[in-house]
Amino acid sequence: MTTGKGKGPVRKSKEVLKPVDDRKVGKRKAAYKPDISSAKSKKAKKDPNKPKRPPSAFFVFLEEFRKTFKEQNPNVKAVSAVGKAGGAKWKSLTEAEKAPYEAKAAKRKVEYEKLMNAYNRKQASSAVDGDAESEVNDEEDEASGEEGHQVEDEEDEDEGDEEDEEDDE
DNA sequence: TCCATGATTGTTGCT
DNA sequence: AGCAACAATCATGGA
């Protein structure tokens, strides 16, 4: 306790089981922009259409947790604080409680796949160069045609399993 | 002035 | 099959 921790990058050596503990994106920035200043490199392949990865169950939970956390700790503005608190709480949650978050995350994944499908196709079209073209079979293209699957956000029905409203404890 | 970082876990994509 | 980077957030620091 009182490890002083402060901003110390050091995070305990509990990662004995995990081979890679450098999860800290320390060096690998998230939105890395290669040529923001240069902007001259024609290699700047920025894909505005490229869909971002879907938020995992943890992130879904975090979104809600952040709101709550900020309300209880309006003084705390450090993103790391929420991350740590959220991570701790997340571990405290049981699978049943994480289920609803995972369910939502799973849905997100489906949408992501669709976006990727469209994105991939677009890229293939654009990517003319004769470089090892994957030659995508033009069989599955209904992605856009589709019968109008408006996923929308219906949180009712389905998932008859975890339906217990544990409500606050 | 503006981009990058920090911190969490999970998930996806590439090799 | 495994590894690596990235997904949100938001204030602050360095250039």
Side-chain angles (χ1 to χ4, degrees):
Chain A
M1 42 193 34
T2 79
T3 32
K5 76 208 294 307
K7 279 106 188 270
V10 91
R11 196 177 340 137
K12 271 167 170 228
S13 44
K14 62 186 176 187
E15 263 64 45
V16 179
L17 287 111
K18 287 202 189 164
V20 283
D21 53 342
D22 45 303
R23 215 172 292 45
K24 55 181 7 29
V25 202
K27 260 74 193 263
R28 352 176 149 125
K29 55 196 352 221
Y32 161 74
K33 265 122 150 157
D35 59 328
I36 251 314
S37 312
S38 298
K40 287 301 203 105
S41 271
K42 33 171 61 185
K43 288 247 169 217
K45 57 189 339 13
K46 58 176 172 153
D47 298 334
N49 291 351
K50 185 175 165 167
K52 295 185 176 169
R53 296 180 302 189
S56 50
F58 174 60
F59 266 56
V60 176
F61 159 77
L62 238 176
E63 285 185 43
E64 185 179 327
F65 183 82
R66 275 186 296 219
K67 184 174 58 161
T68 302
F69 183 87
K70 287 178 81 109
E71 282 194 23
Q72 296 180 0
N73 306 294
N75 296 337
V76 177
K77 25 224 202 136
V79 298
S80 29
V82 184
K84 283 198 245 180
K89 179 74 181 266
W90 177 253
K91 286 179 178 176
S92 184
L93 294 177
T94 59
E95 290 189 12
E97 297 181 323
K98 293 194 301 182
Y101 296 105
E102 287 182 349
K104 179 144 196 191
K107 193 170 201 73
R108 267 304 159 120
K109 191 181 112 185
V110 175
E111 289 188 63
Y112 176 71
E113 284 181 357
K114 283 201 237 175
L115 292 171
M116 270 302 247
N117 183 356
Y119 172 72
N120 280 337
R121 179 175 316 172
K122 189 180 211 204
Q123 287 289 326
S125 259
S126 212
V128 192
D129 46 68
D131 192 23
E133 47 287 336
S134 292
E135 187 72 70
V136 248
N137 275 347
D138 20 51
E139 300 204 16
E140 58 223 300
D141 35 6
E142 277 70 89
S144 36
E146 223 52 67
E147 325 242 313
H149 295 311
Q150 212 106 335
V151 189
E152 254 3 278
D153 30 46
E154 358 250 355
E155 36 225 58
D156 41 52
E157 89 285 298
D158 327 344
E159 273 65 10
D161 7 328
E162 284 76 19
E163 182 74 290
D164 33 337
E165 240 58 301
E166 219 59 51
D167 76 84
D168 39 274
E169 50 272 23

